[in-house]
Amino acid sequence: MKRTITALGVIVVMASISSISYGQEHNACENPRGIYKLMTLINKQGNTIKAPFDQYKICTDSVTMTLNVDGNMFSLRQNDSMVFNYTGEDPDAQNATATRIFDSNAEHFTLKWWSTTPNHLYFPHNDWCTEHYAANQYSENGKKILDALMSSPARDPKNPLIGTWRMIGMVDELRHTKQELKRIREKPLDGLYTIFTPECIVAIGRNLGRLYPTPNPYDKKVFKVGNEENKITWLSSNLIAVEIHQGYRTDYEILERVTHGTAFDGIASHYATH
């Protein structure tokens, strides 16, 4: 079945990036803020091992999000139902198994959480799991994905597709466009983004996403994903219709350019606490 990149984002798929602070003095009892990569963990045998996952914690003042990268696929979830603030290593007086954050600043932090997962390859059962994170560390694909998700929308007159686009709905034809746009804006889709950068396309449907290498520059009327061509109709400079085919049926995904905030902002805002 032939699908566009945004449709793939659906299948495999405002805590603002501005809340991430990098200007802290580096003592070891600060709230971690920024993007941190999992570097090592203590496994259930009690040994410190290199991180078996390409995993990141995105720590803001209002939400903590976890990015896991597996090749070209990735997930972005709120695995931790708490903002990561410094707790110290001592047990919580009210909850002995509460998650602990310590040795933390803008450069690194240690996460200690109580694992109840049975028969896990690395995590102990009914015991502590300790993970060490460091800032400014990325895999190649992790860097591309995070740059796309966390960057403010870009504009390039030579490549008009460059930027962050949000899928707002679908139509089955492009006649009566004004009426159709009014209809879909009444019940807009949520959390579906496609980010075109000079070197890749990143598509995400709230939690699950995929990275697609792509040639630069983009054609204004079509973009390619592998051998698949996706035709574009420009409704305005900030609104496009992407043609998709399912059997004999042709539909159009309506994408609107994001002009404020980032894809991460839109996704994280559903989980943020204020």
Side-chain angles (χ1 to χ4, degrees), residues 15-234:
S16 173
I17 184 61
S18 63
S19 68
I20 296 178
S21 173
Y22 299 96
Q24 304 170 346
E25 294 180 4
H26 300 331
N27 64 60
C29 57
E30 297 167 351
N31 298 331
R33 291 294 180 268
I35 302 170
Y36 300 81
K37 179 176 172 59
L38 176 63
M39 303 303 294
T40 63
L41 61 82
I42 300 176
N43 66 11
K44 61 185 181 182
Q45 286 79 32
N47 299 318
T48 298
I49 63 171
K50 183 178 179 181
F53 325 111
D54 190 10
Q55 177 171 294
Y56 305 82
K57 296 292 186 181
I58 306 171
C59 304
T60 79
D61 289 335
S62 52
V63 70
T64 303
M65 301 290 290
T66 302
L67 175 74
N68 283 100
V69 179
D70 184 8
N72 285 348
M73 309 293 289
F74 67 93
S75 65
L76 180 64
R77 303 180 186 276
Q78 188 201 35
N79 294 345
D80 307 282
S81 56
M82 59 180 288
V83 172
F84 276 10
N85 290 329
Y86 174 81
T87 64
E89 192 173 359
D90 294 337
D92 187 292
Q94 305 300 319
N95 181 2
T97 60
T99 297
R100 305 174 197 172
I101 307 293
F102 55 96
D103 188 24
S104 58
N105 57 33
E107 295 181 342
H108 53 74
F109 74 90
T110 298
L111 167 66
K112 194 170 183 178
W113 56 278
W114 185 259
S115 172
T116 58
T117 305
N119 304 315
H120 194 278
L121 184 59
Y122 304 106
F123 302 150
H125 183 222
N126 289 330
D127 203 348
W128 291 103
C129 184
T130 303
E131 301 176 344
H132 303 283
Y133 288 82
N136 303 311
Q137 301 291 324
Y138 308 94
S139 67
E140 181 179 357
N141 282 357
K143 177 66 172 172
K144 291 178 181 178
I145 292 165
L146 284 161
D147 282 350
L149 293 175
M150 310 294 285
S151 296
S152 298
R155 297 294 289 266
D156 185 344
K158 296 181 179 179
N159 293 345
L161 272 179
I162 294 289
T164 301
W165 299 80
R166 180 174 67 95
M167 182 177 169
I168 61 173
M170 297 187 67
V171 299
D172 56 10
E173 58 182 28
L174 293 182
R175 295 185 299 173
H176 312 298
T177 304
K178 288 184 179 180
Q179 294 90 322
E180 287 293 287
L181 287 176
K182 181 180 179 181
R183 175 184 64 80
I184 64 178
R185 286 186 185 281
E186 291 176 351
K187 295 181 178 181
L189 297 176
D190 199 20
L192 310 180
Y193 293 89
T194 302
I195 305 107
F196 295 89
T197 80
E199 61 180 359
C200 66
I201 300 171
V202 171
I204 184 168
R206 178 73 74 84
N207 296 131
L208 301 177
R210 187 164 183 172
L211 167 73
Y212 299 86
T214 188
N216 181 40
Y218 298 101
D219 189 299
K220 186 176 181 178
K221 296 182 179 180
V222 64
F223 65 89
K224 293 183 179 181
V225 178
N227 295 323
E228 182 178 353
E229 291 190 349
N230 302 284
K231 295 181 180 179
I232 300 168
T233 300
W234 288 81

